[in-house]
Short mmCIF file of all heavy atoms in Angstrom, two decimals:
data_model
loop_
_atom_site.label_atom_id
_atom_site.label_comp_id
_atom_site.label_asym_id
_atom_site.label_seq_id
_atom_site.Cartn_x
_atom_site.Cartn_y
_atom_site.Cartn_z
N LEU A 168 -20.03 11.25 28.49
CA LEU A 168 -20.83 12.26 29.19
C LEU A 168 -19.92 13.60 29.31
O LEU A 168 -18.69 13.48 29.40
CB LEU A 168 -21.25 11.82 30.54
CG LEU A 168 -22.08 10.58 30.62
CD1 LEU A 168 -22.62 10.43 32.04
CD2 LEU A 168 -23.10 10.34 29.58
N ASN A 169 -20.52 14.70 29.23
CA ASN A 169 -19.79 15.89 29.57
C ASN A 169 -19.76 16.24 31.00
O ASN A 169 -20.29 15.49 31.87
CB ASN A 169 -20.38 17.03 28.74
CG ASN A 169 -21.77 17.46 29.04
OD1 ASN A 169 -22.24 17.18 30.20
ND2 ASN A 169 -22.40 18.06 28.10
N THR A 170 -19.08 17.33 31.34
CA THR A 170 -19.03 17.65 32.78
C THR A 170 -20.21 18.13 33.48
O THR A 170 -20.32 18.27 34.65
CB THR A 170 -17.97 18.82 32.98
OG1 THR A 170 -18.20 19.89 31.86
CG2 THR A 170 -16.57 18.31 32.58
N GLU A 171 -21.35 18.24 32.65
CA GLU A 171 -22.65 18.56 33.18
C GLU A 171 -23.53 17.33 33.36
O GLU A 171 -24.74 17.41 33.73
CB GLU A 171 -23.36 19.56 32.23
CG GLU A 171 -22.61 20.93 32.30
CD GLU A 171 -23.27 21.90 31.31
OE1 GLU A 171 -24.12 21.48 30.49
OE2 GLU A 171 -22.75 23.11 31.27
N GLY A 172 -22.92 16.15 32.94
CA GLY A 172 -23.67 14.90 33.21
C GLY A 172 -24.55 14.45 32.04
O GLY A 172 -25.25 13.49 32.17
N ASN A 173 -24.48 15.24 30.97
CA ASN A 173 -25.28 14.86 29.75
C ASN A 173 -24.47 14.17 28.76
O ASN A 173 -23.19 14.27 28.66
CB ASN A 173 -25.81 16.17 29.09
CG ASN A 173 -26.83 16.81 29.99
OD1 ASN A 173 -27.68 16.23 30.59
ND2 ASN A 173 -26.67 18.19 30.17
N VAL A 174 -25.13 13.37 27.89
CA VAL A 174 -24.41 12.63 26.87
C VAL A 174 -23.93 13.52 25.80
O VAL A 174 -24.73 14.37 25.33
CB VAL A 174 -25.27 11.48 26.26
CG1 VAL A 174 -24.58 10.76 25.18
CG2 VAL A 174 -25.70 10.51 27.43
N ALA A 175 -22.69 13.39 25.44
CA ALA A 175 -22.23 14.24 24.33
C ALA A 175 -22.08 13.46 22.96
O ALA A 175 -22.57 13.93 21.98
CB ALA A 175 -20.92 14.85 24.69
N GLU A 176 -21.39 12.35 23.03
CA GLU A 176 -21.12 11.60 21.84
C GLU A 176 -20.50 10.22 22.20
O GLU A 176 -20.31 9.94 23.41
CB GLU A 176 -20.10 12.39 20.92
CG GLU A 176 -18.70 12.57 21.62
CD GLU A 176 -17.75 13.38 20.84
OE1 GLU A 176 -18.12 13.82 19.68
OE2 GLU A 176 -16.59 13.57 21.35
N ALA A 177 -20.31 9.41 21.12
CA ALA A 177 -19.64 8.16 21.38
C ALA A 177 -18.17 8.44 21.09
O ALA A 177 -17.69 9.55 20.62
CB ALA A 177 -20.15 7.02 20.55
N THR A 178 -17.27 7.44 21.29
CA THR A 178 -15.85 7.71 21.08
C THR A 178 -15.51 8.03 19.68
O THR A 178 -14.55 8.81 19.44
CB THR A 178 -14.96 6.51 21.56
OG1 THR A 178 -15.31 5.37 20.65
CG2 THR A 178 -15.25 6.10 22.97
N SER A 179 -16.19 7.46 18.68
CA SER A 179 -15.86 7.76 17.32
C SER A 179 -17.09 7.84 16.48
O SER A 179 -17.17 7.59 15.31
CB SER A 179 -15.02 6.61 16.67
OG SER A 179 -15.66 5.35 16.83
#
Side-chain angles (χ1 to χ4, degrees):
L168 306 190
N169 63 23
T170 46
E171 296 174 353
N173 295 314
V174 178
E176 60 184 0
T178 64
S179 56

